[in-house]
Amino acid sequence: MPRTSDGAADRTPAAADRTPTSADRTPAAGASVRKRLHLNAFLMSVGHHEAAWRLPDSPAGGGTDIAHYQNLARIAERGKLDSVFLADSPVLHGDPGRRPSSKLEPTVLLTALAVVTSRIGLIATASTSYNEPFNLARRFASLDHVSGGRAGWNIVTTAGADAARNFGLDDTPLHHERYERAAEFVDVATKLWDSWADDAVVADKERGVHARADRVRRVDHRGAHFRVDGPLNVERSPQGRPLLVQAGSSEDGKEFAARYAEAVFTAQQTLEDGITFYRDVKQRAVAFGRDPDEIKILPGIVPVIGDTEAEARELDAELERLIAPEYAKRQLAQRLRIAPEDLDLDSELPDDIPTEDEIEGAKSRYTLIVDLARRERLTVRQLIGRLGGGRGHRTFAGTAEQVADTIEHWYESGAADGFNIMPAVLPSGLERFVDRVVPILQERGLFRTEYDGTTLREHYGLARPANQYFDTPSADGAADVTTEATADVTAEVTAQVEASTGEGARSGRSAAALVDAR
């Protein structure tokens, strides 16, 4: 949301990002009703804001406190959210002397959350650069069994020399090389998850047959990066495979998401950027022969919620006052790949900083930060304040009604299928969202009031995937992605993007412009 020069939240609606009125929420005559939105709770220690840990009521040791995370999971499930999500990286980020930095391994932590919840999905981040397919496929299959079909994998490639040096490498592999490895990694993991047929285990005690040998098979993968025999030593899990999530927004990242992902976590600062990203990824999915509704776009949002707008702004301002500027400047310099002494807190970013092409890691986040600073002519101090809440994700300070309006507007404008909710402070920020914002979205018919299913795939409205080895369709029933089928799918995403609000007309984009050939 726009901000004033001192970094406070500015509620003056811009033309492209105004607060919707009741008329916007009323579908036009004959317009189809869109599917309900999806909400994911992104859990991070004691909150996403850089200074959340310094608040008086912030729980000490929240990053390693199982009871703290179990409480957060219960709160999210009380709000009927689709899932909770844990980020991860195989490196110690930041200065542990300045803020909480320890992280529990996410699949282990989610197993502990699975036993105190029954419906909410459980998504963990894991790197394809610093894991092996067999071990990771086994961990996620195990989590899916333990949780009764609620596991999801956020696929990342991990940038940064500091991570590489934890695994015997001198530097991070090149960007395109990491994505090439990631593609093969996911292919191998999928083969392993499919190495058991759903009916493989018969447990016939009378005949002494536990599993049918012809329904468990090797995968015999031989590729550029991996040699894996298989089969997996865990039978096929309740979902068949975990939900596949992806969080990169570079060109390689978008192409990877369009091919593999079933949900995309993304950072978009403006409604226009959100619409552009949404259309781009959906169109790329169509080019891979996929139904665009099978890939959910979930931008991150950091809501700071108050009983009044003034109260929300004051909490936002208090958090910004608690940021240690010199430490934050060093962190920003590291992300921008420049020396800290080249940044003046009360000046704008210098002109001579690297281009995106010179950056080998987190390319899209780098560009988002630089574009934000240039577009709004922010000083380094102001930029640090803007990034303190969500590291480039959109921050919003306001009442529950205003937060719900913003979520609805982005959703109805075709910029999102839902949102990755990133509370600035935990647990209070998540409690306010669940207890104040969710009921408003439910009253508007935008969000569920009860879970319709028990698995994460059911929450996202996705079918259980077929097994590539044991569910192969017959020749006369095989899927054929013809030009006609692709046109039908493209028409569907066009209708989704331009439904209800007429956003396509306001942006000057015609339906034809959405489906031009790639």
Side-chain angles (χ1 to χ4, degrees):
M1 100 195 233
R3 291 180 177 241
T4 59
S5 60
D6 64 0
D10 181 1
R11 285 294 304 161
T12 304
D17 198 8
R18 61 180 177 80
T19 301
T21 65
S22 58
D24 294 313
R25 296 194 289 268
T26 304
S32 60
V33 178
R34 296 188 68 193
K35 297 181 177 67
R36 289 175 178 169
L37 59 82
H38 302 280
L39 296 174
N40 173 76
F42 184 172
L43 307 181
M44 179 172 284
S45 185
V46 296
H48 282 269
H49 198 281
E50 177 79 18
W53 70 277
R54 298 185 64 187
L55 293 174
D57 59 350
S58 178
T64 55
D65 185 352
I66 287 291
H68 170 67
Y69 277 102
Q70 289 179 329
N71 179 48
L72 296 177
R74 291 190 188 101
I75 294 169
E77 187 167 69
R78 187 177 79 229
K80 313 303 178 186
L81 271 60
D82 295 64
S83 47
V84 296
F85 161 58
L86 299 175
D88 192 51
S89 178
V91 66
L92 178 65
H93 276 303
D95 179 357
R98 292 289 185 175
R99 64 164 296 168
S101 301
S102 59
K103 290 183 178 180
L104 298 176
E105 199 284 323
T107 58
V108 173
L109 177 52
L110 289 180
T111 300
L113 303 190
V115 299
V116 298
T117 57
S118 61
R119 294 295 186 90
I120 196 162
L122 307 164
I123 301 175
T125 298
S127 173
T128 57
S129 297
Y130 303 116
N131 281 291
E132 290 294 320
F134 190 95
N135 288 343
L136 203 60
R138 185 187 185 196
R139 293 208 319 255
F140 277 102
S142 298
L143 178 60
D144 206 46
H145 278 289
V146 169
S147 65
R150 295 184 282 142
W153 172 23
N154 178 42
I155 306 163
V156 297
T157 64
T158 309
D162 47 358
R165 288 192 289 268
N166 285 338
F167 295 88
L169 302 176
D170 294 328
D171 202 352
T172 184
L174 295 176
H175 193 267
H176 73 276
E177 292 175 353
R178 296 200 311 274
Y179 273 98
E180 288 172 359
R181 175 186 167 98
E184 186 178 343
F185 194 115
V186 175
D187 286 339
V188 177
T190 302
K191 291 176 180 178
L192 289 167
W193 288 320
D194 288 351
S195 61
W196 289 64
D198 287 318
D199 60 356
V201 177
V202 293
D204 189 331
K205 297 180 181 181
E206 183 69 25
R207 293 190 300 125
V209 177
H210 183 262
R212 296 169 54 189
D214 63 333
R215 305 296 281 174
V216 182
R217 56 158 289 167
R218 292 162 57 104
V219 301
D220 290 323
H221 177 87
R222 299 294 182 268
H225 299 278
F226 305 108
R227 294 168 55 87
V228 180
D229 286 353
L232 195 63
N233 59 350
V234 182
E235 64 190 77
R236 202 161 193 245
S237 69
Q239 291 187 113
R241 307 167 195 162
L243 183 82
L244 298 183
V245 184
Q246 195 267 350
S249 300
S250 65
E251 288 302 306
D252 287 335
K254 288 185 288 188
E255 199 73 1
F256 184 89
R259 180 178 175 186
Y260 294 106
E262 293 159 310
V264 178
F265 295 157
T266 180
Q268 305 296 331
Q269 280 285 327
T270 69
L271 180 66
E272 180 181 8
D273 288 345
I275 292 171
T276 299
F277 181 85
Y278 184 99
R279 290 171 171 169
D280 187 8
V281 174
K282 298 276 186 173
Q283 289 169 346
R284 291 173 191 245
V286 170
F288 279 107
R290 297 182 62 191
D291 180 340
D293 196 43
E294 293 177 353
I295 179 169
K296 313 297 183 183
I297 310 299
L298 306 175
I301 182 172
V302 185
V304 179
I305 304 166
D307 290 334
T308 65
E309 187 176 328
E311 180 184 299
R313 289 188 181 189
E314 175 52 35
L315 176 57
D316 193 36
E318 179 184 4
L319 288 165
E320 290 193 16
R321 286 193 296 269
L322 292 173
I323 293 175
E326 289 298 328
Y327 166 68
K329 186 177 81 167
R330 291 197 301 273
Q331 294 298 104
L332 177 61
Q334 182 180 18
R335 181 175 285 278
L336 297 179
R337 309 295 193 269
I338 61 177
E341 53 268 27
D342 291 337
L343 294 176
D344 180 348
L345 283 171
D346 296 310
S347 300
E348 295 180 28
L349 292 181
D351 294 330
D352 55 340
I353 60 175
T355 65
E356 182 181 296
D357 290 340
E358 299 174 87
I359 300 297
E360 276 301 327
K363 286 176 176 284
S364 58
R365 189 60 54 86
Y366 175 89
T367 299
L368 182 149
I369 291 171
V370 173
D371 286 351
L372 170 64
R374 302 288 195 218
R375 181 176 62 248
E376 301 190 23
R377 301 185 63 83
L378 301 174
T379 66
V380 170
R381 190 185 304 275
Q382 291 169 334
L383 180 60
I384 286 170
R386 292 291 293 274
L387 299 178
R391 304 168 305 284
H393 289 275
R394 190 169 185 270
T395 60
F396 189 101
T399 65
E401 185 87 15
Q402 289 169 335
V403 172
D405 286 345
T406 294
I407 287 174
E408 180 177 7
H409 190 39
W410 277 54
Y411 176 62
E412 296 292 358
S413 296
D417 294 307
F419 286 86
N420 208 12
I421 307 303
M422 304 167 59
V425 181
L426 290 168
S428 61
L430 182 59
E431 288 176 320
R432 289 189 177 200
F433 185 84
V434 163
D435 294 337
R436 303 183 189 187
V437 179
V438 168
I440 296 172
L441 297 174
Q442 290 171 331
E443 288 171 4
R444 296 178 184 179
L446 292 167
F447 193 61
R448 68 172 67 85
T449 56
E450 292 293 340
Y451 289 109
D452 297 321
T454 60
T455 72
L456 179 54
R457 288 185 172 278
E458 288 174 319
H459 300 342
Y460 277 78
L462 300 172
R464 191 172 187 272
N467 188 311
Q468 62 188 294
Y469 297 124
F470 299 105
D471 296 335
T472 304
S474 60
D476 60 351
D480 179 19
V481 184
T482 62
T483 301
E484 181 179 355
T486 302
D488 290 342
V489 169
T490 304
E492 180 180 343
V493 70
T494 302
Q496 291 174 354
V497 170
E498 297 189 340
S500 300
T501 64
E503 187 63 33
R506 286 201 296 273
S507 66
R509 296 285 300 277
S510 67
L514 296 178
V515 297
D516 55 357
R518 293 180 52 250

